[in-house]
């Protein structure tokens, strides 16, 4: 709504929106005309997250953790860039809660991709005297091989790798949950 007001009477709205999305400054949600600025997202996970991410025994669950030493410092724009990077992945959509709000927040997102539900979240973890930053990618789905591949070699791995490229001391680990 704000962009439409600011750009009223001007041409090239679609091109401007696409440019802002490509730069990660504007996030296109699942609905065709719904956009949000990542910096304006809530700072905590939305209340509908647990209902949309229930523990299910009929699904395979895998986790891939990207970790680096950061003294708890989150590089400016990292989380927003991570969330925005997935808007360019074919077949990816941001999931919604029962109130039809997109399940995205400043440190994470819940999305559907490649036949799986994927939860991405950045968290600070204390390990001894060190404060480490972790990006945790959880994926659940019926097809065990496909879910594991999504995290280890597929779209989640590729997209997060492009966001985290060049991070000093980056380590990854994978596990079945």
């Amino acid at each position: 709504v704000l962009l439409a007001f600011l750009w009223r009477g001007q041409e090239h709205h679609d091109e401007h929106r696409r440019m802002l999305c490509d730069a990660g400054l504007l996030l296109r949600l699942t609905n065709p005309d719904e956009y949000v600025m990542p910096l304006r997202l809530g700072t905590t996970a939305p209340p509908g997250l647990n209902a949309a991410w229930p523990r299910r025994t009929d699904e395979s669950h895998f986790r891939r953790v990207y970790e680096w030493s950061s003294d708890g410092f989150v590089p400016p724009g990292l989380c927003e860039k991570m969330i925005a990077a997935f808007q360019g992945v074919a077949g990816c959509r941001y999931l919604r809660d029962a109130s039809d709000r997109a399940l995205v927040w400043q440190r994470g997102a819940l999305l559907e991709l490649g036949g799986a539900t994927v939860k991405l979240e950045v968290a600070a973890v204390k390990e001894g005297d060190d404060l480490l930053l972790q990006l945790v990618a959880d994926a659940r789905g019926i097809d065990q091989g496909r879910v594991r591949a999504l995290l280890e070699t597929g779209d989640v791995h590729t997209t997060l790798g492009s966001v985290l490229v060049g991070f000093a001391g980056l380590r990854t680990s994978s596990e079945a949950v």
Side-chain angles (χ1 to χ4, degrees), residues 30-109:
T30 306
N31 293 340
D33 292 326
E34 185 180 17
Y35 295 85
V36 65
M37 294 178 70
L39 293 173
R40 299 207 38 147
L41 291 171
T43 56
T44 59
L49 179 64
N50 290 337
W53 181 254
R55 182 76 179 143
R56 295 182 48 176
T57 57
D58 63 333
E59 292 182 324
S60 296
H61 183 174
F62 292 95
R63 172 175 295 148
R64 186 160 179 113
V65 177
Y66 299 79
E67 183 175 79
W68 62 98
S69 181
S70 63
D71 296 325
F73 173 73
V74 179
L78 169 70
C79 300
E80 294 86 351
K81 187 175 180 183
M82 170 195 68
I83 295 165
F86 281 90
Q87 68 187 348
V89 176
C92 180
R93 69 181 191 92
Y94 300 96
L95 294 179
R96 298 182 161 287
D97 64 15
S99 300
D100 202 36
R101 289 179 299 213
L103 292 167
V104 293
W105 62 104
Q106 283 186 5
R107 289 190 171 229

Coordinates of all heavy atoms in Angstrom, one line a residue, residues 30-109:
T30 N 3.5 -15.1 -0.6 CA 2.9 -16.0 -1.5 C 1.8 -15.4 -2.3 O 1.6 -15.8 -3.5 CB 2.3 -17.2 -0.6 OG1 3.4 -17.7 0.2 CG2 1.8 -18.3 -1.5
N31 N 1.0 -14.5 -1.8 CA 0.0 -13.9 -2.6 C 0.6 -12.9 -3.6 O 1.6 -12.2 -3.3 CB -1.0 -13.1 -1.7 CG -1.8 -14.0 -0.8 OD1 -1.9 -15.2 -1.1 ND2 -2.3 -13.5 0.3
P32 N 0.1 -12.9 -4.8 CA 0.7 -12.2 -5.9 C 1.0 -10.7 -5.7 O 2.0 -10.2 -6.1 CB -0.3 -12.3 -7.1 CG -1.1 -13.4 -6.8 CD -1.1 -13.6 -5.3
D33 N 0.1 -10.0 -4.9 CA 0.4 -8.6 -4.7 C 0.7 -8.2 -3.3 O 0.4 -7.1 -2.8 CB -0.9 -7.8 -5.2 CG -1.1 -7.8 -6.7 OD1 0.0 -7.8 -7.4 OD2 -2.2 -7.9 -7.1
E34 N 1.3 -9.2 -2.6 CA 1.6 -8.9 -1.2 C 3.1 -8.9 -1.0 O 3.8 -9.8 -1.3 CB 1.0 -10.1 -0.3 CG 1.2 -9.8 1.2 CD 0.7 -10.9 2.0 OE1 0.4 -12.0 1.5 OE2 0.5 -10.7 3.2
Y35 N 3.6 -7.7 -0.5 CA 5.0 -7.5 -0.3 C 5.2 -7.0 1.1 O 4.4 -6.4 1.7 CB 5.5 -6.5 -1.3 CG 5.4 -6.9 -2.8 CD1 4.3 -6.7 -3.5 CD2 6.5 -7.5 -3.4 CE1 4.2 -7.1 -4.8 CE2 6.5 -7.9 -4.7 CZ 5.3 -7.7 -5.4 OH 5.3 -8.1 -6.7
V36 N 6.4 -7.2 1.6 CA 6.8 -6.7 2.9 C 8.3 -6.3 2.9 O 9.0 -7.0 2.2 CB 6.5 -7.7 4.1 CG1 7.3 -8.9 3.9 CG2 6.6 -7.1 5.4
M37 N 8.6 -5.3 3.6 CA 10.0 -5.0 3.8 C 10.6 -5.8 4.9 O 10.1 -5.8 6.0 CB 10.2 -3.5 4.1 CG 9.8 -2.6 3.0 SD 9.9 -0.8 3.4 CE 11.7 -0.7 3.5
P38 N 11.6 -6.6 4.6 CA 12.2 -7.5 5.6 C 12.5 -6.8 6.9 O 12.4 -7.4 8.0 CB 13.4 -8.1 5.0 CG 13.1 -8.1 3.5 CD 12.3 -6.8 3.3
L39 N 13.0 -5.6 6.9 CA 13.3 -4.8 8.1 C 12.1 -4.5 9.0 O 12.2 -4.2 10.1 CB 14.1 -3.5 7.8 CG 15.5 -3.7 7.1 CD1 16.0 -2.4 6.7 CD2 16.4 -4.4 8.1
R40 N 10.9 -4.6 8.4 CA 9.7 -4.4 9.1 C 9.0 -5.6 9.7 O 8.0 -5.6 10.2 CB 8.7 -3.6 8.2 CG 9.3 -2.3 7.8 CD 8.4 -1.2 7.5 NE 7.2 -1.3 8.4 CZ 6.6 -0.2 8.8 NH1 7.0 1.0 8.4 NH2 5.5 -0.3 9.5
L41 N 9.7 -6.7 9.5 CA 9.1 -8.0 10.0 C 9.2 -8.0 11.5 O 10.1 -7.3 12.1 CB 9.9 -9.2 9.4 CG 9.7 -9.5 8.0 CD1 10.7 -10.5 7.5 CD2 8.3 -9.9 7.7
G42 N 8.4 -8.8 12.2 CA 8.5 -9.0 13.6 C 9.8 -9.6 14.1 O 10.5 -10.3 13.3
T43 N 10.2 -9.2 15.3 CA 11.5 -9.7 15.8 C 11.4 -11.1 16.4 O 12.4 -11.8 16.6 CB 12.0 -8.7 16.9 OG1 11.0 -8.6 17.9 CG2 12.3 -7.4 16.3
T44 N 10.2 -11.6 16.7 CA 10.0 -12.9 17.3 C 9.2 -13.8 16.3 O 8.5 -13.2 15.5 CB 9.4 -12.9 18.7 OG1 8.1 -12.3 18.5 CG2 10.2 -12.1 19.7
A45 N 9.3 -15.1 16.5 CA 8.5 -16.0 15.6 C 7.0 -15.7 15.8 O 6.6 -15.4 16.9 CB 8.8 -17.4 16.0
P46 N 6.2 -15.8 14.7 CA 4.8 -15.5 14.9 C 4.1 -16.5 15.7 O 4.5 -17.7 15.8 CB 4.3 -15.6 13.4 CG 5.5 -15.6 12.6 CD 6.7 -16.0 13.4
P47 N 3.0 -16.1 16.4 CA 2.3 -17.1 17.3 C 1.8 -18.3 16.6 O 1.7 -19.3 17.2 CB 1.2 -16.2 17.9 CG 1.2 -14.9 17.2 CD 2.4 -14.8 16.4
G48 N 1.5 -18.2 15.3 CA 0.9 -19.4 14.6 C 2.0 -20.4 14.1 O 1.6 -21.4 13.5
L49 N 3.3 -20.1 14.4 CA 4.3 -21.0 14.0 C 4.2 -22.5 14.5 O 4.3 -23.4 13.7 CB 5.7 -20.5 14.3 CG 6.9 -21.3 13.9 CD1 7.0 -21.4 12.4 CD2 8.2 -20.8 14.5
N50 N 4.0 -22.6 15.8 CA 3.9 -24.0 16.3 C 2.7 -24.8 15.7 O 2.9 -26.0 15.5 CB 3.8 -23.9 17.8 CG 5.0 -23.5 18.5 OD1 6.1 -23.6 17.9 ND2 5.0 -22.9 19.6
A51 N 1.6 -24.2 15.5 CA 0.5 -24.9 14.8 C 0.8 -25.3 13.4 O 0.3 -26.3 12.9 CB -0.8 -24.0 14.9
A52 N 1.5 -24.4 12.7 CA 1.9 -24.7 11.3 C 3.1 -25.7 11.2 O 3.3 -26.2 10.1 CB 2.2 -23.4 10.6
W53 N 3.8 -25.9 12.3 CA 5.0 -26.8 12.3 C 4.8 -27.8 13.4 O 5.6 -27.9 14.3 CB 6.2 -25.9 12.6 CG 7.6 -26.6 12.6 CD1 8.3 -26.8 13.7 CD2 8.3 -27.1 11.5 NE1 9.5 -27.4 13.4 CE2 9.5 -27.6 12.0 CE3 8.1 -27.2 10.1 CZ2 10.5 -28.2 11.2 CZ3 9.1 -27.8 9.3 CH2 10.2 -28.3 9.9
P54 N 3.8 -28.6 13.3 CA 3.5 -29.6 14.4 C 4.5 -30.8 14.3 O 5.0 -31.1 13.2 CB 2.1 -30.1 14.1 CG 1.9 -29.9 12.7 CD 2.8 -28.7 12.3
R55 N 4.8 -31.5 15.4 CA 5.6 -32.7 15.3 C 4.7 -33.8 14.8 O 3.7 -34.1 15.3 CB 6.0 -33.0 16.8 CG 6.9 -34.2 16.8 CD 8.3 -33.8 16.4 NE 9.2 -35.0 16.5 CZ 10.1 -35.3 15.6 NH1 10.3 -34.5 14.6 NH2 10.8 -36.4 15.7
R56 N 5.2 -34.4 13.7 CA 4.4 -35.5 13.0 C 5.3 -36.8 12.9 O 6.4 -36.7 12.5 CB 4.0 -35.1 11.6 CG 3.0 -33.9 11.7 CD 2.5 -33.5 10.4 NE 2.0 -34.6 9.6 CZ 1.5 -34.5 8.4 NH1 1.3 -33.3 7.9 NH2 1.1 -35.5 7.7
T57 N 4.7 -37.9 13.2 CA 5.4 -39.2 13.2 C 5.5 -39.8 11.8 O 6.3 -40.7 11.6 CB 4.8 -40.2 14.2 OG1 3.4 -40.4 13.9 CG2 4.9 -39.6 15.6
D58 N 4.6 -39.3 10.9 CA 4.6 -39.9 9.6 C 5.5 -39.2 8.6 O 5.6 -39.5 7.4 CB 3.2 -39.9 9.0 CG 2.6 -38.5 8.8 OD1 3.1 -37.6 9.6 OD2 1.8 -38.3 8.0
E59 N 6.4 -38.3 9.1 CA 7.3 -37.6 8.2 C 8.7 -37.8 8.6 O 9.0 -38.0 9.8 CB 7.0 -36.1 8.3 CG 5.7 -35.6 7.6 CD 5.5 -34.1 7.7 OE1 5.9 -33.5 8.7 OE2 4.9 -33.6 6.7
S60 N 9.6 -37.7 7.7 CA 11.1 -37.7 8.0 C 11.4 -36.3 8.3 O 10.9 -35.4 7.7 CB 11.8 -38.2 6.8 OG 11.5 -39.5 6.5
H61 N 12.4 -36.2 9.3 CA 12.8 -34.8 9.7 C 14.3 -34.8 9.7 O 15.0 -35.6 10.4 CB 12.2 -34.6 11.1 CG 12.5 -33.2 11.6 ND1 12.0 -32.8 12.8 CD2 13.3 -32.2 11.2 CE1 12.4 -31.6 13.1 NE2 13.2 -31.2 12.1
F62 N 14.9 -33.9 9.0 CA 16.3 -33.7 8.9 C 16.7 -32.3 9.2 O 15.9 -31.3 9.0 CB 16.9 -34.0 7.5 CG 16.7 -35.5 7.2 CD1 15.7 -36.0 6.5 CD2 17.7 -36.4 7.6 CE1 15.5 -37.3 6.2 CE2 17.6 -37.8 7.3 CZ 16.5 -38.2 6.6
R63 N 17.9 -32.1 9.8 CA 18.3 -30.8 10.2 C 19.7 -30.6 9.6 O 20.6 -31.5 9.7 CB 18.3 -30.6 11.7 CG 19.0 -29.4 12.2 CD 18.9 -29.2 13.7 NE 17.4 -29.1 14.0 CZ 16.9 -29.5 15.1 NH1 17.6 -30.1 16.0 NH2 15.6 -29.3 15.3
R64 N 20.0 -29.4 9.1 CA 21.3 -29.0 8.7 C 21.6 -27.7 9.4 O 20.8 -26.8 9.4 CB 21.4 -28.8 7.2 CG 22.9 -28.5 6.7 CD 23.0 -28.8 5.3 NE 24.3 -28.6 4.8 CZ 25.2 -29.5 4.4 NH1 24.8 -30.7 4.4 NH2 26.4 -29.2 4.0
V65 N 22.8 -27.7 10.1 CA 23.2 -26.5 10.9 C 24.4 -25.9 10.3 O 25.4 -26.5 10.0 CB 23.4 -26.9 12.4 CG1 23.9 -25.7 13.2 CG2 22.2 -27.6 13.0
Y66 N 24.3 -24.6 10.0 CA 25.4 -23.8 9.6 C 25.8 -22.9 10.8 O 25.0 -22.2 11.4 CB 25.0 -22.8 8.4 CG 24.4 -23.6 7.2 CD1 23.1 -24.1 7.2 CD2 25.2 -23.8 6.1 CE1 22.7 -24.8 6.1 CE2 24.8 -24.4 5.0 CZ 23.5 -24.9 5.0 OH 23.0 -25.6 3.9
E67 N 27.1 -23.0 11.1 CA 27.6 -22.4 12.4 C 28.9 -21.7 12.1 O 29.7 -22.1 11.4 CB 27.8 -23.5 13.4 CG 28.2 -23.1 14.7 CD 28.2 -24.3 15.7 OE1 29.2 -25.1 15.6 OE2 27.2 -24.5 16.4
W68 N 29.0 -20.5 12.7 CA 30.3 -19.8 12.7 C 30.4 -19.0 13.9 O 29.5 -18.7 14.6 CB 30.3 -18.9 11.4 CG 29.3 -17.8 11.4 CD1 29.4 -16.5 11.7 CD2 27.9 -17.9 10.9 NE1 28.2 -15.9 11.5 CE2 27.3 -16.7 11.0 CE3 27.2 -19.0 10.4 CZ2 26.0 -16.5 10.7 CZ3 25.8 -18.8 10.1 CH2 25.3 -17.5 10.2
S69 N 31.7 -18.8 14.3 CA 32.1 -18.0 15.4 C 31.8 -16.5 15.1 O 32.2 -16.0 14.2 CB 33.5 -18.2 15.8 OG 33.8 -17.5 17.0
S70 N 31.0 -15.9 16.0 CA 30.6 -14.5 15.7 C 30.5 -13.6 17.0 O 30.1 -12.5 16.9 CB 29.3 -14.5 15.0 OG 28.3 -15.0 15.9
D71 N 30.8 -14.2 18.1 CA 30.5 -13.5 19.4 C 29.1 -13.0 19.5 O 28.9 -11.9 20.0 CB 31.5 -12.4 19.6 CG 33.0 -12.9 19.7 OD1 33.2 -14.0 20.2 OD2 33.9 -12.2 19.1
G72 N 28.2 -13.7 18.9 CA 26.8 -13.3 18.9 C 26.4 -12.2 18.0 O 25.2 -11.8 17.9
F73 N 27.3 -11.8 17.2 CA 27.0 -10.7 16.2 C 26.4 -11.3 15.0 O 26.9 -12.2 14.3 CB 28.3 -10.0 15.8 CG 28.2 -9.0 14.8 CD1 27.6 -7.8 15.0 CD2 28.7 -9.2 13.5 CE1 27.5 -6.8 14.0 CE2 28.6 -8.3 12.5 CZ 27.9 -7.1 12.7
V74 N 25.2 -10.7 14.6 CA 24.6 -11.1 13.4 C 24.9 -10.0 12.3 O 24.6 -8.9 12.5 CB 23.0 -11.2 13.6 CG1 22.3 -11.5 12.3 CG2 22.7 -12.2 14.7
P75 N 25.6 -10.4 11.3 CA 25.9 -9.4 10.3 C 24.7 -8.7 9.8 O 23.6 -9.3 9.5 CB 26.6 -10.2 9.1 CG 27.1 -11.5 9.8 CD 26.1 -11.7 10.9
P76 N 24.7 -7.4 9.7 CA 23.5 -6.6 9.2 C 23.0 -7.2 7.9 O 23.7 -7.4 7.0 CB 24.0 -5.2 9.1 CG 25.2 -5.1 9.9 CD 25.8 -6.5 9.9
G77 N 21.7 -7.4 7.9 CA 21.0 -7.9 6.7 C 21.1 -9.4 6.4 O 20.4 -9.9 5.5
L78 N 21.8 -10.1 7.3 CA 21.9 -11.6 7.0 C 20.6 -12.3 7.0 O 20.3 -13.0 6.1 CB 22.8 -12.2 8.1 CG 22.8 -13.8 8.0 CD1 23.5 -14.3 6.8 CD2 23.4 -14.4 9.2
C79 N 19.8 -12.1 8.0 CA 18.5 -12.8 8.1 C 17.6 -12.4 7.0 O 16.9 -13.2 6.4 CB 17.9 -12.5 9.5 SG 18.9 -13.1 10.8
E80 N 17.5 -11.1 6.7 CA 16.6 -10.6 5.7 C 17.1 -11.2 4.3 O 16.3 -11.6 3.5 CB 16.6 -9.1 5.6 CG 16.0 -8.4 6.8 CD 17.0 -8.2 8.0 OE1 18.1 -8.7 7.9 OE2 16.6 -7.6 8.9
K81 N 18.4 -11.2 4.1 CA 18.9 -11.8 2.8 C 18.6 -13.2 2.7 O 18.3 -13.7 1.6 CB 20.4 -11.5 2.8 CG 21.1 -11.9 1.5 CD 22.5 -11.5 1.4 CE 23.1 -11.9 0.1 NZ 24.6 -11.6 0.0
M82 N 18.7 -14.0 3.8 CA 18.4 -15.4 3.8 C 16.9 -15.6 3.4 O 16.6 -16.5 2.6 CB 18.7 -16.0 5.2 CG 18.2 -17.4 5.4 SD 18.1 -17.9 7.1 CE 16.8 -16.9 7.8
I83 N 16.0 -14.9 4.1 CA 14.6 -15.1 3.8 C 14.3 -14.7 2.4 O 13.6 -15.4 1.6 CB 13.8 -14.3 4.8 CG1 14.0 -14.8 6.2 CG2 12.3 -14.3 4.4 CD1 13.5 -13.9 7.3
A84 N 14.9 -13.5 1.9 CA 14.6 -13.0 0.6 C 15.2 -13.9 -0.5 O 14.6 -14.0 -1.6 CB 15.1 -11.6 0.4
A85 N 16.3 -14.6 -0.2 CA 16.9 -15.5 -1.2 C 16.0 -16.6 -1.7 O 16.0 -17.0 -2.9 CB 18.2 -16.1 -0.6
F86 N 15.1 -17.0 -0.9 CA 14.2 -18.1 -1.3 C 13.0 -17.7 -2.2 O 12.4 -18.5 -2.8 CB 13.6 -18.8 0.0 CG 14.6 -19.8 0.6 CD1 15.5 -19.3 1.5 CD2 14.7 -21.1 0.1 CE1 16.5 -20.2 2.0 CE2 15.7 -21.9 0.6 CZ 16.6 -21.5 1.6
Q87 N 12.8 -16.4 -2.3 CA 11.7 -15.9 -3.2 C 12.1 -16.2 -4.7 O 11.2 -16.3 -5.5 CB 11.3 -14.5 -3.0 CG 12.4 -13.5 -3.3 CD 11.9 -12.1 -2.9 OE1 10.8 -11.9 -2.5 NE2 12.9 -11.2 -2.9
G88 N 13.3 -16.4 -5.0 CA 13.7 -16.7 -6.3 C 13.8 -18.2 -6.6 O 14.2 -18.6 -7.8
V89 N 13.5 -19.0 -5.7 CA 13.6 -20.5 -5.9 C 12.3 -21.0 -6.4 O 11.3 -20.8 -5.9 CB 14.0 -21.2 -4.5 CG1 14.0 -22.7 -4.7 CG2 15.3 -20.7 -4.0
A90 N 12.4 -21.7 -7.6 CA 11.2 -22.1 -8.2 C 10.4 -23.1 -7.3 O 11.0 -24.0 -6.7 CB 11.5 -22.9 -9.5
G91 N 9.1 -22.9 -7.2 CA 8.2 -23.7 -6.5 C 8.2 -23.5 -5.0 O 7.5 -24.2 -4.2
C92 N 8.9 -22.5 -4.5 CA 9.0 -22.1 -3.1 C 7.8 -21.2 -2.7 O 7.5 -20.3 -3.5 CB 10.3 -21.5 -2.7 SG 10.5 -21.0 -1.0
R93 N 7.2 -21.4 -1.6 CA 6.2 -20.5 -1.1 C 6.3 -20.4 0.4 O 6.6 -21.4 1.1 CB 4.8 -20.9 -1.6 CG 4.2 -22.1 -1.0 CD 2.8 -22.5 -1.5 NE 2.2 -23.5 -0.7 CZ 1.4 -23.3 0.3 NH1 1.1 -22.1 0.6 NH2 0.9 -24.3 1.0
Y94 N 6.0 -19.2 0.9 CA 6.0 -18.9 2.3 C 4.7 -19.4 2.9 O 3.7 -19.1 2.3 CB 6.2 -17.4 2.6 CG 7.5 -16.9 2.1 CD1 7.6 -16.3 0.8 CD2 8.7 -17.1 2.8 CE1 8.8 -15.8 0.3 CE2 9.9 -16.7 2.3 CZ 10.0 -16.0 1.0 OH 11.2 -15.6 0.5
L95 N 4.8 -20.2 3.9 CA 3.5 -20.7 4.5 C 2.8 -19.7 5.4 O 3.4 -18.7 5.8 CB 3.8 -22.0 5.4 CG 4.3 -23.2 4.5 CD1 4.6 -24.3 5.4 CD2 3.3 -23.5 3.5
R96 N 1.6 -19.9 5.7 CA 0.7 -19.0 6.4 C 0.1 -19.6 7.6 O -0.1 -20.8 7.6 CB -0.4 -18.4 5.5 CG 0.2 -17.7 4.3 CD -0.9 -17.1 3.4 NE -0.4 -16.1 2.6 CZ -0.1 -14.9 3.0 NH1 -0.2 -14.5 4.2 NH2 0.4 -14.0 2.1
D97 N -0.2 -18.8 8.6 CA -0.9 -19.3 9.8 C -2.4 -19.3 9.6 O -2.9 -18.9 8.5 CB -0.5 -18.6 11.0 CG -0.9 -17.1 11.0 OD1 -1.8 -16.7 10.2 OD2 -0.4 -16.4 11.9
A98 N -3.2 -19.7 10.6 CA -4.6 -19.8 10.5 C -5.3 -18.4 10.2 O -6.4 -18.4 9.6 CB -5.2 -20.4 11.7
S99 N -4.6 -17.4 10.6 CA -5.1 -16.0 10.3 C -4.7 -15.5 9.0 O -4.8 -14.3 8.7 CB -4.6 -15.1 11.4 OG -5.1 -15.5 12.7
D100 N -4.0 -16.3 8.1 CA -3.5 -15.9 6.8 C -2.4 -15.0 6.8 O -2.1 -14.3 5.9 CB -4.7 -15.4 5.9 CG -4.4 -15.6 4.4 OD1 -3.7 -16.6 4.1 OD2 -4.7 -14.7 3.7
R101 N -1.6 -15.0 7.9 CA -0.4 -14.1 7.9 C 0.8 -15.0 7.5 O 0.9 -16.2 7.9 CB -0.1 -13.6 9.4 CG -1.1 -12.5 9.8 CD -0.8 -12.1 11.2 NE -1.0 -13.3 12.0 CZ -1.4 -13.3 13.3 NH1 -1.7 -12.1 13.8 NH2 -1.5 -14.4 14.0
A102 N 1.7 -14.5 6.7 CA 2.9 -15.2 6.3 C 3.8 -15.5 7.5 O 3.9 -14.6 8.4 CB 3.7 -14.4 5.3
L103 N 4.3 -16.7 7.6 CA 5.1 -17.1 8.7 C 6.6 -16.8 8.4 O 7.4 -17.6 8.2 CB 4.9 -18.6 9.0 CG 3.5 -18.9 9.5 CD1 3.3 -20.4 9.5 CD2 3.4 -18.4 10.9
V104 N 6.9 -15.5 8.4 CA 8.2 -15.0 8.3 C 8.5 -13.9 9.4 O 7.5 -13.2 9.8 CB 8.5 -14.3 6.9 CG1 8.4 -15.3 5.8 CG2 7.5 -13.2 6.6
W105 N 9.7 -13.9 9.9 CA 10.0 -12.9 10.9 C 11.5 -12.6 10.7 O 12.1 -13.1 9.8 CB 9.7 -13.5 12.3 CG 10.5 -14.7 12.7 CD1 11.5 -14.8 13.6 CD2 10.2 -16.1 12.3 NE1 11.9 -16.1 13.7 CE2 11.1 -16.9 13.0 CE3 9.2 -16.7 11.5 CZ2 11.1 -18.3 12.8 CZ3 9.3 -18.0 11.4 CH2 10.2 -18.8 12.0
Q106 N 12.0 -11.7 11.5 CA 13.4 -11.2 11.2 C 14.5 -12.2 11.3 O 15.5 -12.1 10.6 CB 13.7 -10.0 12.1 CG 13.1 -8.7 11.8 CD 13.6 -7.6 12.6 OE1 14.5 -7.7 13.4 NE2 13.0 -6.4 12.4
R107 N 14.3 -13.3 12.0 CA 15.3 -14.3 12.1 C 14.9 -15.7 11.6 O 15.5 -16.7 11.9 CB 15.7 -14.5 13.6 CG 16.5 -13.3 14.1 CD 17.1 -13.6 15.4 NE 18.0 -12.5 15.8 CZ 19.2 -12.7 16.2 NH1 19.7 -13.9 16.4 NH2 20.0 -11.7 16.5
G108 N 13.8 -15.7 10.8 CA 13.4 -17.0 10.2 C 12.2 -17.0 9.3 O 11.6 -15.9 9.1
A109 N 11.9 -18.1 8.8 CA 10.7 -18.3 7.9 C 10.3 -19.8 7.9 O 11.1 -20.7 8.2 CB 11.1 -17.9 6.5

